[in-house]
């Protein structure tokens, strides 16, 4: 059945707004070319979107040719403001941006391991409000919180997971109460995977597995262009994967004995000490090894990482594995190529292995992308 006039107008408006968001300011003529719509239809939608406060004239085009210049139309970036949070065990980082994702203010807050949950939540919530004011945002429209742990797919809430600070769940509730904004919660590894797919190492891939190598170990799974979360939100909990080379096996409440015991921060630092490499973080150890071309350490680490990567490849056949987080980024091509060679020896399925390019910044970037998509979905109709 043909669309009603109002539905057709909504579809056309959404198409034009998405083009302006993706390509930047365009003239009415360029919108006509890109959308395939008639000139009168484009003129009507431009007038309609200006009246709604979603677009405005941002300049002129055609100064290098004869005749009148054409007006350039662009998204009204301050129509809505976004916030992204990266919530770790010992810190909170926040960035506030406009509707187009331009970052306007950033801040972070260290959290002591013995801090009481209540005061931590108040300080973190105040940090978000203060950063929003610093960005000149009258109010936040959409907020995305990236946190470790499982997100309940039916409710979108952070589940009460053993081993994670109680203030994580409390912070989400506090933000929902204090902010006039939609608050979205997502697993940090999934957000980092999204960022690498949109902005980083997996930009040409519809299917890939992202291994987060940080304080903890996790995986983000993209198949056929979609992020897969699993029935309970636990797809990618690769830290619990039983693998050879550990002292035991993991349990339902403890990933010691799983892949985490080989690839977590403490395990990598301990491996580095065996090879005379010392650093304050696993990424520091790996970076030192790459700088010194320390083949022995890199080979040993690649042996470990290949166990997790090959297991993922055998089950999902993603065709590509990205070594992410600060540690994967630090290893670069020197580590990724070694892991790829070992996966090829372990699995009959062709699997590329790439180093992530965003490092620890991937979580905030993914959270900002998610908040922006939520805001535009509502505002663009």
């Amino acid at each position: 059945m043909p669309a009603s006039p109002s539905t057709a107008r909504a579809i056309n408006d959404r198409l034009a707004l998405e083009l302006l968001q993706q390509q930047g300011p365009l003239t009415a003529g360029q919108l006509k070319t890109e959308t395939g719509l008639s000139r009168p239809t484009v003129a009507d939608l431009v007038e309609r979107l200006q009246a709604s406060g979603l677009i405005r004239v941002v300049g002129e085009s055609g100064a290098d040719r004869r005749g009148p210049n054409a007006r350039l139309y662009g998204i009204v970036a301050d129509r809505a403001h976004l916030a992204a949070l990266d919530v770790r065990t010992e810190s909170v980082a926040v960035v506030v941006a406009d509707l187009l994702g331009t970052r306007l203010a950033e801040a972070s807050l260290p959290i002591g391991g013995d801090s009481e949950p209540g005061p931590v939540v108040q300080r973190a919530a105040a940090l978000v409000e203060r950063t929003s004011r610093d960005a000149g945002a009258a109010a936040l429209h959409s907020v995305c919180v990236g946190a470790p742990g499982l997100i309940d797919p039916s409710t979108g809430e952070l589940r009460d997971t053993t081993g994670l600070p109680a203030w994580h769940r409390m912070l989400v509730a506090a933000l929902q109460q204090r902010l006039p904004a939609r608050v979205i919660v997502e697993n940090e590894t999934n957000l980092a995977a999204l960022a690498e797919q949109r902005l980083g190492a997996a930009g040409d891939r519809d299917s890939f597995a992202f291994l987060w190598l940080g304080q903890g170990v996790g995986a983000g799974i993209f198949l056929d262009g979609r992020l897969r979360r699993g029935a309970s939100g636990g797809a990618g909990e690769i830290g619990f994967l039983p693998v050879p080379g550990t002292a035991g096996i993991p349990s339902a409440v403890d990933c010691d004995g799983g892949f985490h015991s080989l690839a977590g921060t403490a395990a990598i630092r301990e491996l580095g000490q065996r090879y005379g490499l010392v650093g304050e973080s696993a990424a520091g150890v790996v970076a030192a090894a790459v700088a010194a071309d320390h083949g022995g350490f890199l080979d040993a680490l690649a042996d470990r990482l290949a166990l997790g990567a090959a297991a993922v490849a055998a089950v999902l056949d993603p065709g590509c594995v990205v070594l992410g987080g600060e540690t994967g980024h630090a290893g670069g091509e020197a580590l990724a190529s070694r892991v790829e060679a070992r996966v090829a020896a372990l699995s009959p399925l062709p699997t590329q292995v790439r180093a992530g390019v965003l490092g620890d910044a991937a979580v905030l970037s993914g959270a900002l992308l998610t908040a922006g998509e939520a805001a535009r979905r509502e505002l663009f109709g």
Side-chain angles (χ1 to χ4, degrees):
M1 294 178 60
S4 67
S6 61
T7 300
R9 285 194 295 271
I11 293 172
N12 293 340
D13 290 357
R14 177 67 182 260
L15 177 58
L17 287 165
E18 288 180 346
L19 285 169
L20 291 169
Q21 185 260 320
Q22 294 165 4
Q23 299 184 23
L26 298 170
T27 65
Q30 289 170 327
L31 282 171
K32 174 182 177 298
T33 300
E34 293 291 336
T35 61
L37 299 173
S38 67
R39 190 177 299 277
T41 300
V42 170
D44 285 345
L45 76 82
V46 166
E47 182 178 352
R48 193 162 52 245
L49 294 176
Q50 282 185 290
S52 69
L54 287 172
I55 70 171
R56 62 186 170 205
V57 177
V58 296
E60 293 185 341
S61 174
D64 56 346
R65 61 174 174 79
R66 292 183 178 180
N69 295 341
R71 292 178 176 178
L72 279 169
Y73 298 95
I75 298 288
V76 179
D78 58 3
R79 181 70 166 74
H81 288 90
L82 324 166
L85 279 76
D86 181 1
V87 177
R88 305 290 177 94
T89 303
E90 299 180 348
S91 67
V92 175
V94 59
V95 59
V96 176
D98 62 25
L99 185 58
L100 293 177
T102 302
R103 299 189 179 201
L104 304 174
E106 300 184 46
S108 61
L109 176 71
I111 306 295
D114 56 352
S115 301
E116 290 295 323
V120 168
V121 169
Q122 296 305 313
R123 289 165 56 205
L127 178 75
V128 176
E129 293 171 334
R130 184 167 62 252
T131 308
S132 176
R133 290 194 298 270
D134 291 344
L140 292 172
H141 183 283
S142 297
V143 177
C144 181
V145 181
L150 302 179
I151 310 299
D152 189 324
S154 62
T155 65
E157 295 179 352
L158 182 64
R159 289 167 55 181
D160 188 7
T161 307
T162 303
L164 293 178
W167 62 266
H168 282 190
R169 281 170 53 84
M170 294 170 62
L171 174 60
V172 172
L175 292 176
Q176 290 170 333
Q177 293 174 358
R178 293 175 61 157
L179 299 177
R182 178 185 180 187
V183 179
I184 306 162
V185 188
E186 181 59 273
N187 175 267
E188 60 178 359
T189 303
N190 286 342
L191 291 175
L194 172 66
E196 288 286 0
Q197 200 267 343
R198 299 284 182 84
L199 308 171
D204 61 338
R205 301 289 311 188
D206 286 332
S207 296
F208 72 101
F210 173 83
L211 296 191
W212 175 265
L213 303 174
Q215 186 69 31
V217 178
I221 309 300
F222 264 84
L223 296 177
D224 301 322
R226 292 181 57 194
L227 179 66
R228 307 292 176 162
R229 295 178 174 83
S232 63
E237 286 295 320
I238 197 173
F240 287 87
L241 181 73
V243 292
T246 63
I249 58 174
S251 71
V253 296
D254 191 351
C255 58
D256 284 345
F259 184 57
H260 173 85
S261 297
L262 297 181
T265 291
I268 293 176
R269 290 182 64 192
E270 181 183 354
L271 179 65
Q273 290 175 358
R274 298 182 198 172
Y275 288 88
L277 296 167
V278 179
E280 295 183 0
S281 66
V285 171
V286 173
V290 172
D293 195 20
H294 199 307
F297 169 82
L298 292 173
D299 287 341
L301 179 56
D303 288 340
R304 295 181 172 199
L305 298 182
L307 295 175
V312 170
V315 175
L316 300 175
D317 188 19
C320 177
V321 173
V322 175
L323 305 181
E326 188 178 10
T327 302
H329 176 64
E333 176 62 21
L335 180 59
S337 61
R338 284 173 163 85
V339 176
E340 181 174 307
R342 284 155 177 78
V343 172
L346 292 171
S347 171
L349 306 175
T351 306
Q352 296 180 350
V353 179
R354 304 175 181 178
V357 301
L358 301 177
D360 262 12
V363 177
L364 273 179
S365 295
L368 199 56
L369 287 168
T370 301
E373 288 175 353
R376 289 188 292 272
R377 188 162 51 245
E378 180 178 326
L379 292 172
F380 292 180

